[in-house]
Amino acid sequence: MIRALKLATATAALLALAACGDGGSGGGSSGARSGVWAAGSSTVFPFATRVAENFARTSGGAAPRVESLGTGGGIQAFCQGVGPTTPDIANASRQMKASEFDLCAKNGVTDIVEIKIGFDGIVIATARNGNSFNFELNDIYEGLAKEVPGPDGQFIANSAKTWNQVNAGLPNQRIQVYGPPPTSGTRDAFLELGMTPGAKLVPATAAVEKADKDRFEALAHTLREDGAWIDSGENDNAIVQTLTRTPGSLGVFGYSFLEQNLDTVKPETIDGVTPNADTIASGEYPLSRSLYIYVKKAHVGVIPGLQQFVQEFLSEGSAGKGGYLADRGLIPLPEDQLVAQRAAAAAMTSMQRPAK
């Protein structure tokens, strides 16, 4: 009853806002939006834009608006409240955090539908004519963390200049890695899937985890600020282009961007595993991840075409094996998982608060 009352209140607020107008953010004479608005992950952006193009062509309705703000930026905008001045969908290359869920709740966004759309991997890549690397997970932490254990086990500023100083089996090449900024879900996933497990393989850092989890997380998640790691904006294609212009550099970005640029860049292996559709879908590749969209349930039935847009995202022609999203690099869900996500989307089943 309480949940139903909250939803009714949120919907009433949305309708009131629509009637009053939204300051010219698009739509008809009332100022209300006439089309779907999705914002967030740069990794999900090319998939969402492709769905939007197909939806606009086949539905006859207004073309959906898709923005690339980074996962954190998209969820932040999504959680600002209910109404046509806020996005209907947050695109995300990681799961929503508990703190983000709480922000949504604080602002009246009380019913959120989480939908997994497929898989992607985070790659470490070089120009095709560059050296080849076979990273171990601990190499990623020891090469890119701001602080690492010194000879006496005490933590010191990372002074490694070349990769062979980190691991004698790696090339004698300067450590210079271009990657996503803190607002990016790709950055978050890289920290969780690469830096954190890598830190756990270093005995001195693993000992910190047992004694002080907050200190461990700070050590594992704080990247170098001395030029070895370079924040490069939300556009993964810009990182790809940088690799060809900056000999000896490496880049961190989503697998889908690798697939589109195999003529100029190549992936490096991690623990002997090459990122490809099979190793990412199976989880064998260590930096595999799931991709999501989050739907504001209060906007369903109010913003024209919203539920139909979500259904198009999960249709066989888009998200299925051989669908048009696979052509853009999305790794499809297994059939049973895709069926389950379609059911969640049809029922608009609200998610629970994330554990962390």
Side-chain angles (χ1 to χ4, degrees), residues 52-352:
E53 291 163 3
N54 197 70
F55 179 80
R57 186 170 60 252
T58 59
S59 71
R65 166 184 170 190
V66 183
E67 292 183 301
S68 178
L69 305 176
T71 294
I75 292 177
Q76 180 77 15
F78 176 87
C79 289
Q80 290 309 298
V82 172
T85 58
T86 63
D88 313 306
I89 294 173
N91 299 327
S93 55
R94 57 160 172 81
Q95 286 189 291
M96 181 179 283
K97 300 175 183 177
S99 60
E100 294 167 333
F101 186 88
D102 292 342
L103 174 64
C104 271
K106 177 183 175 183
N107 291 327
V109 184
T110 55
D111 287 277
I112 303 167
V113 182
E114 178 186 78
I115 298 170
K116 185 190 296 186
I117 62 167
F119 301 109
D120 184 39
I122 300 166
V123 301
I124 302 176
T126 59
R128 288 209 65 83
N129 60 357
N131 288 321
S132 294
F133 292 73
N134 178 24
F135 288 106
E136 297 173 3
L137 274 175
N138 57 290
D139 297 334
I140 297 172
Y141 164 73
E142 292 180 286
L144 296 175
K146 183 177 179 179
E147 292 184 77
V148 292
D152 59 357
Q154 297 299 308
F155 285 84
I156 60 173
N158 196 335
S159 61
K161 301 297 184 186
T162 60
W163 283 108
N164 67 332
Q165 291 176 329
V166 173
N167 178 340
L170 295 176
N172 180 11
Q173 178 175 307
R174 65 180 172 176
I175 301 174
Q176 185 178 43
V177 179
Y178 292 86
T183 53
S184 170
T186 299
R187 164 81 157 254
D188 291 335
F190 177 70
L191 297 178
E192 290 292 341
L193 300 174
M195 295 288 287
T196 297
K200 291 179 179 182
L201 295 173
V202 178
T205 318
V208 173
E209 183 188 24
K210 294 178 182 177
D212 186 341
K213 290 189 180 297
D214 289 341
R215 169 67 172 152
F216 170 79
E217 183 170 317
L219 289 168
H221 287 192
T222 306
L223 295 166
R224 294 175 68 165
E225 300 169 350
D226 58 356
W229 172 274
I230 303 165
D231 286 344
S232 302
E234 293 288 356
N235 186 345
D236 287 13
N237 270 323
I239 299 176
V240 172
Q241 293 162 15
T242 297
L243 299 185
T244 61
R245 296 194 303 263
T246 312
S249 63
L250 288 84
V252 172
F253 48 84
Y255 173 77
S256 59
F257 290 89
L258 173 76
E259 272 215 323
Q260 297 166 27
N261 294 279
L262 283 172
D263 56 331
T264 57
V265 297
K266 61 187 175 74
E268 304 307 327
T269 60
I270 298 176
D271 288 344
V273 181
T274 300
N276 58 45
D278 292 336
T279 60
I280 291 171
S282 69
E284 181 186 1
Y285 179 65
L287 271 60
S288 303
R289 61 178 172 174
S290 301
L291 302 179
Y292 301 87
I293 60 173
Y294 289 91
V295 183
K296 196 171 293 178
K297 190 170 180 177
H299 286 199
V300 175
V302 181
I303 298 297
L306 176 55
Q307 187 152 16
Q308 292 77 15
F309 177 77
V310 173
Q311 290 169 345
E312 174 61 25
F313 227 126
L314 296 172
S315 70
E316 195 63 30
S318 60
K321 284 186 170 64
Y324 60 74
L325 293 182
D327 293 340
R328 290 219 170 169
L330 183 72
I331 297 167
L333 296 170
E335 186 60 28
D336 59 335
Q337 291 188 36
L338 184 55
V339 168
Q341 294 303 308
R342 285 174 181 152
M348 281 288 149
T349 305
S350 298
M351 66 182 286
Q352 300 297 309

